Amino acid sequence: MSAPLPAPASRLPNVGTTIFSVMSALATEHGAVNLGQGFPDFDCDPALVDAVTQAMQAGHNQYPPMPGAPALRQAMAAKMQALYGLACNPDTEITITAGATQAILTAVLAVVHPGDEVIVLEPCYDSYVPNIELAGGVAVRVPLTPGTFRPDFDRIAAALSPRTRAIIVNSPHNPSGTVWTEADMLHLQELMAPTHVLLISDEVYEHMVFDGQVHQSVARFPALARRAFIVSSFGKTYHVTGWKVGTVVAPAPLTAEFRKVHQFNVFTVNTPMQHALATYMGNPAPYRELPAFYQRKRDLFREGLAGTRFRLLPGEGTYFQCVDISRLAVPERELPESDFCQWLTREIGVAAIPLSAFYGNGFDQRVVRFCFAKKDDTLREALTRLSRL
Ligand SMILES: Cc1ncc(COP(=O)(O)O)c(C=O)c1O
């Protein structure tokens, strides 16, 4: 027998199993209410499932065109125009992706060359930095303002260099739930104006903005849109995270580069779901009603937590609620966030995600994140358990 092969030299030596998978597995093992990973525990609209069945029965079962089913790209173009006033050509400026995760990786691989710098604002979604590293780029981490998680434009300006290829922004923001204002977007626009820096705008929570605030899509700002990949996810909007279908809107020259990479990593995305989504998008009510749907859940969850020693951080958007744990009446409040979350899952029966998981250096600020995309009964059960603290 020949000797076993040595482990391959890792392209991503610092990456392990994501915290989301770890906490979900721990939640299952201990029968905990899983408010960790961000996905709904309720079903999507049955009409959407029917639309998939109908698409399959109508024979939409073979490869669609590489950029995505034309009907879905057209529906997306109509939506961008109606919601954000952006005219985009479905043939040359919209691509259907396997969710936002593949969209962001593909955008990064399409434009980042070895040695290029890409600015990320921490805390940030965990795929950004490994994506940049896979492209041979260098992630330049700029913190959002501690405590408020608002963008610090002085620090962003200071991070710009002649090697900066792109900046990745995310509003509404995971994990903090903050939402960029019009003033923030104008500030970004002003900062980028003298540069050739590209923008990757992760807008997967675009329809989860509360209290009458408006989602300030990059699509509303022509001087930003001309340099941007705008990323959305049907998984978040229609409660179908497992379908993994998203979109990228970008000007034609950027889309052309995007598609060169896209065609060799997935080529195209499952056909019946695309047809079903195109049909379903004919009615804007589901995404128009989403803010109210999630705002009610946010309020239910926040009202429950208000009676505990968790200190609530603002929740302007997304389906996440962050809380400060430093005033809890248990000694475990002193644990590092990550150990606290494991203890909370095992002993109290509620899974949460430590904010330190969203920082490269594991910055610990005594804050954890709960996901409230859950049935009311699930949220009530979690609140009963959390009230012991
Ligand atoms: C900020 C952010 N970006 C991207 C994604 C990935 O979206 P998708 O499931 O469409 O790949 C998520 C999912 O949690 C997210 O929170």
Side-chain angles (χ1 to χ4, degrees):
M1 260 217 352
S2 47
L5 284 175
S10 179
R11 295 287 313 280
L12 294 170
N14 301 322
V15 169
T17 312
T18 73
I19 183 74
F20 309 102
S21 309
V22 170
M23 294 308 300
S24 283
L26 201 66
T28 306
E29 187 186 333
H30 293 277
V33 181
N34 190 357
L35 304 190
Q37 203 170 357
F39 60 84
D41 72 344
F42 45 85
D43 250 330
C44 68
D45 185 344
L48 189 51
V49 176
D50 288 346
V52 176
T53 309
Q54 282 155 18
M56 288 178 170
Q57 286 168 344
H60 294 300
N61 298 303
Q62 309 308 329
Y63 296 130
M66 179 273 282
L72 185 54
R73 283 183 281 129
Q74 282 152 14
M76 196 59 199
K79 182 181 171 189
M80 295 304 282
Q81 178 77 63
L83 281 190
Y84 306 128
L86 180 73
C88 47
N89 182 333
D91 294 331
T92 56
E93 298 182 314
I94 300 181
T95 310
I96 308 303
T97 62
T101 311
Q102 184 247 328
I104 296 164
L105 173 63
T106 303
V108 169
L109 290 176
V111 298
V112 175
H113 295 245
D116 284 352
E117 293 178 357
V118 181
I119 296 175
V120 296
L121 308 180
E122 282 193 325
C124 67
Y125 187 58
D126 64 345
S127 75
Y128 300 165
V129 171
N131 285 182
I132 296 161
E133 290 172 355
L134 280 175
V138 178
V140 176
R141 302 165 187 268
V142 176
L144 293 164
T145 308
T148 65
F149 302 99
R150 304 234 58 97
D152 179 338
F153 287 102
D154 290 339
R155 294 190 77 153
I156 298 172
L160 284 169
S161 90
R163 289 181 302 283
T164 309
R165 175 70 62 183
I167 170 165
I168 305 181
V169 301
N170 168 221
S171 172
H173 180 243
N174 176 12
S176 73
T178 49
V179 173
W180 286 32
T181 61
E182 185 184 14
D184 291 329
M185 301 304 288
L186 291 171
H187 212 139
L188 181 69
Q189 182 167 279
E190 189 186 308
L191 204 66
M192 297 186 82
T195 75
H196 292 145
V197 172
L198 300 173
L199 181 59
I200 299 174
S201 184
D202 180 344
E203 304 189 9
V204 300
Y205 299 104
E206 65 190 307
H207 298 298
M208 299 172 208
V209 175
F210 312 134
D211 305 318
Q213 241 184 294
V214 170
H215 171 56
Q216 298 294 342
S217 173
V218 160
R220 295 181 191 272
F221 301 84
L224 289 176
R226 62 186 274 273
R227 60 174 80 226
F229 296 94
I230 302 173
V231 177
S232 348
S233 170
F234 294 109
K236 307 288 180 192
T237 301
Y238 292 140
H239 317 308
V240 287
T241 58
W243 288 15
K244 299 298 294 185
V245 186
T247 53
V248 169
V249 173
L254 292 182
T255 294
E257 289 307 313
F258 182 93
R259 289 180 181 174
K260 286 183 193 173
V261 179
H262 177 78
Q263 70 182 337
F264 294 129
N265 73 26
V266 288
F267 182 66
T268 190
V269 178
N270 64 81
T271 309
M273 265 68 173
Q274 292 195 53
H275 283 272
L277 288 164
T279 308
Y280 194 71
M281 279 178 78
N283 176 11
Y287 60 77
R288 294 233 183 248
E289 288 162 9
L290 206 62
F293 174 83
Y294 273 121
Q295 183 170 325
R296 198 191 57 76
K297 288 197 180 289
R298 180 204 63 171
D299 291 348
L300 187 161
F301 192 53
R302 281 179 71 91
E303 276 158 26
L305 282 178
T308 71
R309 288 169 183 264
F310 285 103
R311 188 171 66 79
L312 286 161
L313 274 63
E316 301 172 332
T318 76
Y319 48 45
F320 300 116
Q321 175 64 54
C322 286
V323 294
D324 183 308
I325 59 171
S326 55
R327 290 195 215 136
L328 297 181
V330 289
E332 287 79 7
R333 65 166 187 255
E334 306 289 347
L335 288 171
E337 287 170 7
S338 173
D339 294 349
F340 174 84
C341 286
Q342 300 205 19
W343 170 80
L344 193 71
T345 309
R346 276 195 316 268
E347 304 299 329
I348 306 299
V350 181
I353 300 288
L355 241 67
S356 53
F358 298 84
Y359 290 87
N361 65 2
F363 174 56
D364 195 306
Q365 57 199 309
R366 330 301 310 125
V367 174
V368 304
R369 187 200 80 178
F370 292 117
C371 171
F372 57 78
K374 308 292 167 188
K375 293 177 195 145
D376 290 1
D377 283 350
T378 309
L379 293 174
R380 287 198 193 96
E381 178 58 31
L383 287 166
T384 304
R385 296 181 186 196
L386 292 172
S387 65
R388 291 165 47 197
L389 302 172

